[in-house]
Amino acid sequence: MKVAFFSTKAYDRQFFNQANEKYQHELVYFEPRLDHTTASLAAGFPAVCLFVNDQADAKTLETLAANGTKLLALRCAGFNQVDLKSAARLGIKVMRVPAYSPYSVAEHAVGLILMLNRRLYRAYNRVRDDNFALDGLLGFDLHGCTVGIIGTGKIGMVFAEIMRGFGCQLLGYDAYPNKIFETLGAARYVELPELLENSDIISLHCPLLPETYHIINAETIAQMKPGVMLINTSRGQLVDTQAVIEGIKSGQIGYLGIDVYEQEDNLFFEDLSDTVIQDDTFQLLQSFPNVVITAHQAFFTRNALTSIAETTLTNISDFEQGRSSDNEVKYEEKVVSKTPA
Ligand code: NAD
């Protein structure tokens, strides 16, 4: 089947071309992001493949539908970039990759914790500068710390297991608790306020939904332990960035590690090193010594990319051959599933 890929980078081409040896779809790669101004590039393509920051709004979908597109194959888990209601109205099927490597994201979250705690970003630069002083690098043992995990699904569970390996106590909060979490030992489910009050480190692993939008806000930050470490590898809009900035300035938040950012679609995945960044909030965040930002790279392991390519191409084959699939995202009036990544 002819597939138009949007927002493609060299690594997308590499992993998809490799996986496609088995499927033999006709893959055409476009660099621009999909939106209503670029949608016409996909004229004559029955399938269009998107990533997290493409925009499949009503206007874009109308152009796609008018030009013969019948399938949106998302090469990610989240589908908050797609207007599902319009897709359903226009007869465009939406498929996604619900799971690839939960290890990729969980391990990156742990990487952020270690980096912040032991100030590895400063240590690395210092040693390169022949500055071997230790002042300002003081960390704390993770062993014995309490780690709060908001969202104990696939990624949250892998993260929980790793943190248990460090000897941490775990507090979980989830709208749909699972039975395995509390069998990890030193792990129990609590309500959100108890998690906020008692955690030394809080890591977000829940999806972006109307009820989780800004789950970290001025009020919830005020309930946290002073000096808490906050980690977000899930979705930028889970966090009210302004409230977090205030929290950092007051010392209530002692460390912030983020792989996602509320306004990331204007920044991430591009080399902007030669431009003047216009996002003052982002620049302010960057200026704090206790903040580490990575640009939505948590998923970026060869295992995850291999799995994403395999599942996306299988989805396209299933669609082509009329097979039903659990990876289809259906529009439901009530469930506004703004899941992520
Ligand atoms: P998952 O669906 O397996 O787990 C999500 C968990 O959140 C579930 O247990 C669910 O019950 C829980 N949840 C749902 N609503 C909740 C609420 N209101 N409050 C608390 N918990 C709630 O998803 P996953 O594969 O573990 O992914 C988790 C998130 O990680 C994704 O939603 C996505 O935002 C993010 N992600 C980020 C990257 C990245 O590269 N940074 C990559 C993949 C996924």
Side-chain angles (χ1 to χ4, degrees):
M1 176 169 262
K2 266 182 89 177
V3 190
F5 278 67
F6 282 83
S7 300
T8 52
K9 304 285 183 202
Y11 48 82
D12 293 309
R13 290 191 282 275
Q14 180 195 335
F15 281 89
F16 271 92
N17 285 344
Q18 213 167 299
N20 195 40
E21 283 173 19
K22 190 164 91 198
Y23 298 86
Q24 295 295 316
H25 292 297
E26 191 182 327
L27 312 183
V28 178
Y29 299 103
F30 298 111
E31 282 182 22
R33 196 191 289 178
L34 175 71
D35 62 21
H36 68 275
T37 65
T38 59
S40 57
L41 285 170
F45 286 84
V48 166
C49 184
L50 314 188
F51 196 47
V52 291
N53 289 331
D54 289 303
Q55 283 296 330
D57 54 15
K59 206 168 164 188
T60 306
L61 290 167
E62 274 157 21
T63 306
L64 292 178
N67 288 325
T69 295
K70 299 271 181 232
L71 172 68
L72 284 191
L74 310 182
R75 53 181 191 279
C76 52
F79 43 88
N80 49 298
Q81 70 279 52
V82 180
D83 177 345
L84 292 178
K85 191 175 183 179
S86 298
R89 172 173 59 83
L90 295 162
I92 296 179
K93 198 177 259 201
V94 180
M95 297 179 87
R96 67 176 180 133
V97 183
Y100 34 100
S101 162
Y103 308 102
S104 62
V105 183
E107 289 172 11
H108 192 77
V110 177
L112 289 174
I113 291 173
L114 292 171
M115 185 144 173
L116 282 161
N117 176 15
R118 311 306 291 265
R119 309 281 189 198
L120 297 179
Y121 49 104
R122 292 182 120 181
Y124 173 77
N125 284 325
R126 274 194 196 179
V127 171
R128 283 173 69 91
D129 200 24
D130 295 338
N131 174 355
F132 308 116
L134 298 183
D135 313 74
L137 303 182
L138 190 65
F140 59 89
D141 289 0
L142 290 174
H143 184 91
C145 277
T146 299
V147 178
I149 306 172
I150 300 181
T152 53
K154 292 180 285 295
I155 296 170
M157 283 301 292
V158 173
F159 176 78
E161 284 174 29
I162 300 172
M163 297 318 290
R164 269 305 296 148
F166 279 106
C168 298
Q169 314 284 314
L170 308 180
L171 297 178
Y173 170 69
D174 197 302
Y176 306 95
N178 71 66
K179 290 198 179 101
I180 306 167
F181 179 71
E182 292 196 333
T183 67
L184 292 178
R188 63 191 176 91
Y189 278 115
V190 291
E191 290 303 319
L192 188 57
E194 190 177 342
L195 181 150
L196 298 172
E197 275 165 36
N198 293 294
S199 299
D200 302 296
I201 299 171
I202 296 174
S203 195
L204 304 179
H205 298 290
C206 59
L208 175 63
L209 301 164
E211 55 273 31
T212 58
Y213 175 79
H214 282 187
I215 192 169
I216 303 299
N217 55 47
E219 204 180 311
T220 48
I221 291 169
Q223 294 172 58
M224 295 176 188
K225 266 193 181 181
V228 66
M229 181 187 292
L230 179 64
I231 303 293
N232 185 9
T233 54
S234 263
R235 265 295 178 268
Q237 289 140 297
L238 295 174
V239 168
D240 178 345
T241 311
Q242 285 305 334
V244 161
I245 287 174
E246 291 311 315
I248 292 167
K249 284 164 80 174
S250 71
Q252 178 71 355
I253 294 176
Y255 313 77
L256 176 72
I258 54 174
D259 185 54
V260 287
Y261 167 64
E262 265 193 292
Q263 308 299 334
E264 70 176 49
D265 47 348
N266 297 323
L267 300 171
F268 288 4
F269 305 122
E270 302 302 329
D271 178 0
L272 302 180
S273 56
D274 236 359
T275 63
V276 175
I277 301 292
Q278 301 296 319
D279 185 332
D280 296 345
T281 306
F282 185 78
Q283 296 300 70
L284 179 58
L285 264 185
Q286 289 240 63
S287 73
F288 296 128
N290 50 353
V291 172
V292 168
I293 306 175
T294 53
H296 210 136
Q297 71 169 86
F299 73 99
F300 199 57
T301 66
R302 73 174 78 89
N303 316 65
L305 292 190
T306 303
S307 168
I308 288 170
E310 288 276 343
T311 306
T312 306
L313 295 173
T314 301
N315 287 345
I316 294 166
S317 295
D318 285 346
F319 172 79
E320 188 176 33
Q321 286 153 32
R323 287 191 291 265
S324 70
S325 164
D326 289 344
N327 297 344
E328 183 179 346
V329 187
K330 293 206 170 113
Y331 172 69
E332 290 169 51
E333 196 69 55
K334 278 196 173 157
V335 184
V336 192
S337 285
K338 298 242 180 205
T339 321

